[in-house]
């Protein structure tokens, strides 16, 4: 039997309180991203109340961008002209229990959606390390989550509604639209305003999270696949020093065998830990093998708290899984240059997909992530060095994080980029949704 719902999620349904995205801003003050490293280029912002309102405003403005939860570290969402915010539009449109899908407004945050789904007996297949991000923004940059057999968040998409540059509404379906759908899911903000997204769901489940300390780096050479397959999702945290991985976070379903106590020479943690040594674990999801709802274990950080360290920079590179160990060792050789500016690195596996602009397109991948101290001049000097070391492994950068890779290099890494450009021109012939980031990295103009 098909069951449908339409509701506004109340704060009582959330695991923890949500902060309003523009709360505390002084009138006339320009917006910053959540980490504070980026000041957006205009303070002109209008909030949309409905799909019809989005269509009206898209027709009105000659240039605009959608500003979401502001979790990107680069200028992919920046505008010098006009921002739209869809944050008031954060409803669950329908839950189809027969098709096992949920349709939500694009500005819905995963931290809002997850408790609702769990209450209805359903779950998503994957979540990112923090639940504060919006659905439309996360899929637009192929933000990924983790797991050897898990695709990124974009792979859960089964349908997409977007408003093009003329204010026309397009509804794309995985079953009906083939290449057009596979092109549009990782949209990079180049096609229009994503107003609704349909996601695949599955029966709910509980998970546990076990953390191990001081895994010898040498173990990765002989046991990398086994280590990364030891749970539903596995994260390796390292500062690249001391020939070790400081923490291994193993997230496993409660109906699966727990990871073994003797974990490749690593020691089970005896208290909850933060990925960054010296920071309180108060903001982190529960560990020590205690079972809990899937949405309270898959992310590293709790909803309603500052994720990670707060003020920081981030960059991340995806390499084909077959090159993972060699790529990790290549980065490790740079440890003396990297460590002084690093808060922590995280290494995760993510399955391949068929989404045109996904960094995991046609390749099961391993993501090497860097959380940097807020020292942009030094980091800006380091990124080209890291990118050069990873170049032999065809590393693709995360679209929403910091990188210095040349547009020509990006083009060589994405075989579908020319076709994606054509689609973007079809939806947005006059470049209404383009900005400096897209002009440089996608369209080859400044």
């Amino acid at each position: 039997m098909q069951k449908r719902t339409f509701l506004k999620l109340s704060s009582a349904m959330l695991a923890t309180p949500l902060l309003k995205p523009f709360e505390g801003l002084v009138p006339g003050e320009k917006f910053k991203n959540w980490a504070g490293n980026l000041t957006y280029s205009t303070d002109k912002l209008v909030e949309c109340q409905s799909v019809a309102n989005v269509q009206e405003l898209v027709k009105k403005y000659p240039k605009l961008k959608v500003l979401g939860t502001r979790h990107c570290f680069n200028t992919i969402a920046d505008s010098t002209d006009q921002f739209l915010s869809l944050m008031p539009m954060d409803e669950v449109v329908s839950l189809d229990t027969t098709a096992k899908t949920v349709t939500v407004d694009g500005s819905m945050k995963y931290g809002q959606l997850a408790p609702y789904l769990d209450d209805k007996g359903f779950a998503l297949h994957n979540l990112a390390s923090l639940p504060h991000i919006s659905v439309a923004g996360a899929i637009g940059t192929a933000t990924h989550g983790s797991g050897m057999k898990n695709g990124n968040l974009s792979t859960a998409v089964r349908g997409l509604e977007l408003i093009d540059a003329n204010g026309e509404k397009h509804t794309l379906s995985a079953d009906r639209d083939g290449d057009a759908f596979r092109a549009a899911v990782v949209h990079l903000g180049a096609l229009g305003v994503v107003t609704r997204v349909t996601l695949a769901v599955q029966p709910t489940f509980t998970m546990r999270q076990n953390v191990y300390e001081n895994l010898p780096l040498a173990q990765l050479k002989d046991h990398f696949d086994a280590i990364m397959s030891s749970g539903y999702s596995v994260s390796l945290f390292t500062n690249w020093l001391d020939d070790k991985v400081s923490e291994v976070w193993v997230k496993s379903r409660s109906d699966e065998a727990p990871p073994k106590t003797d974990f490749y020479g690593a020691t089970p943690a005896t208290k909850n830990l933060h990925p960054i040594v010296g920071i309180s674990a108060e903001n982190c999801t529960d560990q020590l093998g205690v079972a809990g709802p899937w949405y309270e274990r898959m992310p590293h950080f709790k909803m309603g708290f500052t994720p990670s360290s707060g003020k920081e920079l981030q960059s991340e590179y995806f390499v084909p899984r077959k090159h993972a160990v060699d790529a990790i060792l290549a980065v490790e050789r740079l440890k003396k240059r990297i460590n002084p500016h690093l808060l922590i690195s995280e290494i995760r596996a993510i399955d391949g997909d068929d989404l045109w602009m996904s960094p995991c397109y046609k390749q099961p991948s391993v993501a090497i992530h860097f959380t940097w101290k807020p020292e942009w001049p030094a980091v800006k000097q380091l990124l080209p060095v890291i990118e050069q070391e990873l170049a032999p492994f065809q590393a693709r950068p995360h679209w929403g994080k910091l990188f210095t890779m040349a547009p020509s290099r990006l083009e060589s890494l994405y075989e579908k980029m020319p076709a994606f450009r054509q689609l973007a021109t079809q939806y947005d012939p006059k470049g209404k949704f383009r900005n400096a980031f897209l002009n440089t990295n996608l369209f080859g103009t400044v």
Side-chain angles (χ1 to χ4, degrees), residues 373-430:
K373 297 173 184 177
E375 300 171 352
W376 176 234
V379 173
K380 188 177 181 179
Q381 295 295 318
L382 267 173
L383 293 184
V385 179
I386 294 170
E387 290 168 3
Q388 183 176 2
E389 286 296 314
L390 292 178
F393 313 113
Q394 304 299 301
R396 298 167 175 168
H398 191 298
W399 287 111
K401 299 181 182 178
L402 297 167
F403 61 89
T404 60
M405 204 170 286
S408 59
R409 178 62 176 166
L410 289 173
E411 177 117 14
S412 72
L413 295 169
Y414 285 92
E415 63 180 84
K416 288 293 188 178
M417 187 178 284
F420 182 81
R421 271 198 300 268
Q422 291 179 1
L423 185 70
T425 301
Q426 175 185 330
Y427 280 89
D428 182 17
K430 295 182 180 179

Side-chain angles (χ1 to χ4, degrees), residues 65-254:
K65 295 297 291 181
V66 176
L67 191 61
T69 49
R70 297 181 291 159
H71 282 85
C72 288
F73 290 80
N74 61 29
T75 57
I76 190 171
D78 196 19
S79 174
T80 58
D81 301 281
Q82 179 69 46
F83 284 121
L84 296 188
S85 170
L86 276 61
M87 286 302 161
M89 301 167 56
D90 61 350
E91 297 173 343
V92 173
V93 177
S94 65
L95 175 64
D96 188 330
T97 59
T98 301
K100 291 187 172 56
T101 60
V102 64
T103 300
V104 300
D105 286 332
S107 62
M108 173 70 69
K109 298 181 184 69
Y110 285 94
Q112 292 173 281
L113 176 60
Y116 164 78
L117 287 176
D118 187 64
D119 183 64
K120 301 297 183 182
F122 291 98
L124 298 170
H125 84 291
N126 211 346
L127 288 173
S129 60
L130 52 94
H132 308 66
I133 54 181
S134 67
V135 173
I139 66 168
T141 53
T143 293
H144 55 96
S146 178
M148 291 280 275
K149 297 179 181 179
N150 302 326
N152 62 37
L153 303 186
S154 306
T155 63
V157 178
R158 295 295 177 269
L160 200 67
E161 176 186 276
L162 64 86
I163 309 303
D164 71 15
N166 294 319
E168 298 296 324
K169 182 168 66 175
H170 299 260
T171 303
L172 300 173
S173 164
D175 295 331
R176 184 184 64 243
D177 295 297
D179 277 352
F181 172 82
R182 288 186 285 272
V185 174
V186 184
H187 53 82
L188 306 182
L191 305 182
V193 181
V194 175
T195 47
R196 288 179 177 171
V197 182
T198 299
L199 303 171
V201 297
Q202 59 181 287
T204 192
F205 55 93
T206 59
M207 298 188 78
R208 66 175 85 82
Q209 188 167 216
N210 295 85
V211 176
Y212 301 86
E213 297 184 86
N214 300 320
L215 174 74
L217 189 66
Q219 294 284 1
L220 299 184
K221 299 176 184 178
D222 298 324
H223 305 290
F224 182 80
D225 284 353
I227 290 169
M228 301 307 287
S229 300
S230 59
Y232 189 88
S233 168
V234 176
S235 292
L236 311 178
F237 292 99
T238 179
N239 60 12
W240 302 102
L241 297 181
D242 306 322
D243 298 318
K244 67 182 181 182
V245 172
S246 56
E247 298 176 21
V248 182
W249 290 33
V250 181
K251 303 167 190 278
S252 53
R253 291 175 58 123
S254 298

